[in-house]
Amino acid sequence: MCASYGLDGSGRRIPMPDDLPPMSEQGPQQLLAEWAAAWGGKANTSRTRKNGLTNLNPIIWQDADGERRLELAWWWLHVGGQPAKYTAFNSRDDALMSKWRRPFQHRAILPANWYFEGKKRWALPGGEIFGMAAIMAPRTVGDETTISYSLVTRAGVGEAATVITSRGDSRMPLVLPRDMHDDWLDPERPGDAELVTQVQHGSDEISRALTAA
């Protein structure tokens, strides 16, 4: 299970890529800067509290008008507006059509340039920002409805295949290449078996490029 990821928390400004909208825009950059200052650029499952507000992290999603938005969302998927009673930080790609079918119809991307798994920090060789697949659902607190999400994982490949989980298999975040972002975020694109296969195979190259520091 991926328990933490983020955007470089060293204090230096990371250039936001123009091909990962809307991260290069002024409003989203300000939101990211405030989040990074508050949490060191790190999303961490240990911050979760059932009724707290400390596990909000940046996600990118696309509305019905085709506009991409960057907002802070809660890292633990909600079901029926309430926290799932089972562990819902991560969702397996091979269960998207069964256990996660409904939230699979509402998808997002998590911007990061590292993730932590198997006591190692993983990143692309040049430290580039990449997008990890997520599914999302409404989260209701009082009269306010916001977003909750779950990070999608896949079978480990490349160097990441050496990390074995307590279940005896290898898992890593489902990292999407840029040319798959449109399909993943498109609210009109059904979450179906074809999309699962497409992202599983499409993520192989960038997933193999991730190495442990």
Side-chain angles (χ1 to χ4, degrees), residues 35-178:
W35 170 80
W39 301 110
K42 183 178 183 180
N44 195 323
T45 57
S46 65
R47 293 206 309 263
T48 296
R49 300 292 181 271
K50 184 174 181 181
N51 297 311
L53 295 173
T54 60
N55 200 20
L56 298 172
N57 305 303
I59 70 168
I60 297 169
W61 64 284
Q62 185 169 308
D63 64 24
D65 295 324
E67 181 179 354
R68 292 192 184 180
R69 301 178 178 273
L70 186 134
E71 298 183 19
L72 298 182
W74 179 262
W75 190 10
W76 180 290
L77 199 71
H78 283 214
V79 177
Q82 300 298 316
K85 295 181 179 180
Y86 43 83
T87 301
F89 289 119
N90 294 166
S91 45
R92 294 175 62 102
D93 59 345
D94 53 10
L96 289 173
M97 289 299 296
S98 52
K99 182 178 181 179
W100 310 103
R101 180 183 289 269
R102 180 171 293 181
F104 184 31
Q105 309 310 312
H106 307 280
R107 301 174 296 273
I109 286 174
L110 311 178
N113 66 349
W114 62 270
Y115 75 90
F116 194 79
E117 186 68 70
K119 299 181 180 181
K120 297 178 181 179
R121 181 178 167 121
W122 300 81
L124 292 173
E128 301 91 343
I129 292 176
F130 50 83
M132 301 184 297
I135 54 177
M136 59 185 190
R139 171 178 178 261
T140 302
V141 178
D143 296 329
E144 182 181 8
T145 298
T146 55
I147 297 172
S148 69
Y149 73 92
S150 176
L151 185 158
V152 180
T153 66
R154 58 158 293 158
V157 294
E159 188 179 340
T162 63
V163 178
I164 306 301
T165 70
S166 59
R167 296 179 55 173
D169 60 356
S170 177
R171 305 299 298 176
M172 67 183 297
L174 178 63
V175 180
L176 299 174
R178 294 288 199 273

